[in-house]
Amino acid sequence: MEKRKLGTQGLEVSALGLGCMGLSFAYGTAVDKQHGIKIIREAYEQGINFFDTAEAYGIENEELVGEASAPFRKEVVIATKFGFKDGRAFNGQDSRPENIRAVAEESLRRLKTDVIDLFYQHRVDQNVPIEDVAGTVKDLIQEGKVKYFGLSEAGAATIRKANAVLPVSALQSEYSIWWREPELEVLPVLEELGIGFVPFSPLGRGFLTGAITESTSFEATDFRNNLPRFSEENRKANQKLVDLLSAIASQKQATPAQIALGWLLAQKPWIAPIPGTTKSNRLTENIGGASINLSAEDVKKIDDAFAQTAIQGDRYPSHIQQTTGK
Ligand SMILES: NC(=O)c1ccc[n+]([C@@H]2O[C@H](COP(=O)([O-])OP(=O)(O)OC[C@H]3O[C@@H](n4cnc5c(N)ncnc54)[C@H](OP(=O)(O)O)[C@@H]3O)[C@@H](O)[C@H]2O)c1
C-alpha cells in the first residue's frame, strides 16, 4: 500500500490505517481476543502499518493491539491517546501533566512496547493550557517514551498554540463525505503548518457503507443509539446519501465503502483515514479503497451530488458536542 507522510517530523504511515476501537469498545459486544488479534494481523499482512487505539477504549484494546502487533512491532506505527479522567470517555477531560505521564506509562505497559509512536491528546482540556500539554509530551519525547505528538478534535487556535511549543505531526478528527466541518478552518491550518490529518469514522460509523438502514437495530450498548444522526428517522432521511454513493460506486466497479475512503484519500496527500471493522471480508474491502484513485473530476461529481442533499441529524448529542475544542 502507498505510504503517506504525516507532518514534517518523519512520521510515515500506510495510506489507510486500522481503527481498532470497535474491536473492544463503542459498537456493542467486544470481539474475543483471538479474533481481534487475527484482524490486526490480517491488516498488517495486507499492507496496513498504522494502528489506532486509546486509553479510553479500555485496557483490553491497548493490550490487544500490543499483543497482536508484537511479531512485527518495529515495522508498525502505533497511535494511542490520553486525556480523559480515569481513562473513561464520559468522565470529562484530564490533561494535567501528571495524568499525561501516568497514561504514557500505563499505555507503554499495556502495549508491551518501549515507545509510543504517536501520542494524541484525545480531547482539548479547557482547564489545562495546551502549551502545558505540548510541553509534557515534549518531555516524554526527550525521554524516548514517545516519538510524535498529535491532537484530536482540536480547533485551529489550539492547533497553532500547541504547534508553537512542540510540532504537531497529526490531527485526528472526524471527517468523511457526511461530516465536512474540518474543511472550514482546520484543513487550511494543517496545510499551512505542515501537519498530517487522520480522519476518524471515515465510513460514517458504518452508515456510508450501505450496511445500515432505517430497520437496523443496534445492540443496547452500541454508542450509535445515542447519536442523533443514527435515529431511525434520520437514517431513513439519509438513505439517499448511500444511494448516491452506491450509484457512483457501481460506475467505478467499487463499493460505497471504497468510494468513501477513496474520496478522503483524494482530498490531500497528507491524509490517512483509519476505518475500523471487526470482519475480515470488510477489512479486505476497505483496503481496496486505497487503490480507487479518484480524479479531481470524480471528486467534484461526488461533491456536487452530495451538495444537492441535506444531511439530517447532529453527529453528537449536544452534551458531547460541547467538549470538542476550539
Ligand atoms: N479520536 C476520536 O475521538 C475517535 C472517535 C471515533 C473513532 N476514532 C477512531 O477511528 C476509528 C474508525 O472510526 P469508527 O470505527 O468510529 O467508524 P468507521 O470506521 O467509519 O466505521 C466503523 C463501522 O463500520 C462498519 N464497517 C466497516 N467497514 C465496513 C464495510 N466495508 N461494510 C460495511 N460495514 C463496515 C463496522 O462494522 P463491522 O465491525 O461490523 O464491520 C463499524 O461498525 C476507530 O476505530 C477509532 O480508532 C477516534
Side-chain angles (χ1 to χ4, degrees):
M1 193 184 300
E2 176 207 344
K3 292 262 170 50
R4 292 192 164 199
K5 289 189 169 65
L6 300 179
T8 53
Q9 295 69 49
L11 177 60
E12 196 177 57
V13 299
S14 49
L16 291 178
L18 179 68
C20 297
M21 174 183 81
L23 294 170
S24 325
F25 181 79
Y27 299 142
T29 309
V31 300
D32 81 61
K33 189 171 147 196
Q34 286 317 314
H35 182 76
I37 290 175
K38 176 172 159 287
I39 294 288
I40 291 170
R41 291 188 178 163
E42 285 172 357
Y44 172 73
E45 281 154 20
Q46 292 174 59
I48 287 182
N49 82 340
F50 184 30
F51 296 93
D52 189 76
T53 179
E55 181 200 28
Y57 304 158
I59 291 171
E60 307 74 22
N61 198 254
E62 283 187 326
E63 285 180 350
L64 177 64
V65 171
E67 185 169 342
S69 61
F72 41 81
R73 174 65 190 97
K74 295 268 182 276
E75 278 111 286
V76 298
V77 172
I78 296 180
T80 192
K81 316 183 192 80
F82 62 84
F84 286 113
K85 274 185 195 136
D86 304 318
R88 299 175 75 92
F90 301 105
N91 279 0
Q93 282 71 42
D94 185 354
S95 278
R96 291 171 303 138
E98 57 268 38
N99 191 50
I100 299 175
R101 291 192 149 277
V103 176
E105 293 303 333
E106 284 296 299
S107 294
L108 285 167
R109 192 180 57 72
R110 287 193 286 262
L111 290 165
K112 292 197 188 68
T113 187
D114 52 7
V115 66
I116 295 166
D117 297 301
L118 174 58
F119 205 27
Y120 295 101
Q121 182 193 42
H122 210 148
R123 286 291 180 279
V124 175
D125 184 341
Q126 303 301 343
N127 296 316
V128 181
I130 195 66
E131 290 83 352
D132 294 356
V133 174
T136 306
V137 177
K138 190 175 188 174
D139 290 345
L140 289 167
I141 291 175
Q142 271 157 11
E143 290 160 30
K145 293 178 176 169
V146 168
K147 282 193 190 160
Y148 302 104
F149 177 37
L151 299 171
S152 176
E153 292 276 310
T158 303
I159 296 167
R160 283 188 190 283
K161 284 193 236 164
N163 194 64
V165 175
L166 172 66
V168 177
S169 298
L171 177 83
Q172 179 179 130
S173 290
E174 183 165 358
Y175 184 40
S176 65
I177 301 185
W178 81 340
W179 182 255
R180 300 182 57 169
E181 192 185 72
E183 292 172 3
L184 302 176
E185 286 186 10
V186 165
L187 286 178
V189 171
L190 299 182
E191 185 140 47
E192 178 196 327
L193 299 177
I195 298 171
F197 188 41
V198 176
F200 77 68
S201 301
L203 301 171
R205 300 183 188 269
F207 189 78
L208 298 171
T209 68
I212 294 171
T213 66
E214 63 180 294
S215 56
T216 302
S217 63
F218 298 110
E219 276 184 55
T221 54
D222 194 310
F223 177 59
R224 288 169 291 198
N225 290 312
N226 306 320
L227 304 179
R229 202 165 270 194
F230 281 85
S231 72
E232 194 178 320
E233 188 192 348
N234 287 334
R235 275 183 271 148
K236 186 174 178 188
N238 291 328
Q239 186 58 44
K240 51 187 181 295
L241 300 172
V242 178
D243 296 343
L244 257 175
L245 265 182
S246 301
I248 295 161
S250 62
Q251 286 164 21
K252 291 265 160 203
Q253 282 151 5
T255 67
Q258 291 171 335
I259 297 294
L261 296 171
W263 179 88
L264 280 169
L265 290 167
Q267 300 303 312
K268 302 284 177 194
W270 38 269
I271 285 186
I274 47 167
T277 183
T278 56
K279 300 182 175 62
S280 297
N281 61 328
R282 291 178 171 180
L283 173 69
T284 304
E285 175 188 342
N286 296 346
I287 288 171
S291 319
I292 287 292
N293 290 324
L294 295 176
S295 65
E297 197 188 325
D298 294 328
V299 170
K300 185 168 181 320
K301 262 195 228 158
I302 297 171
D303 288 346
D304 289 347
F306 267 71
Q308 323 263 327
T309 315
I311 298 165
Q312 302 278 319
D314 288 340
R315 66 171 185 142
Y316 282 134
S318 55
H319 68 281
I320 296 184
Q321 200 93 279
Q322 284 159 13
T323 67
T324 58
K326 290 290 152 228

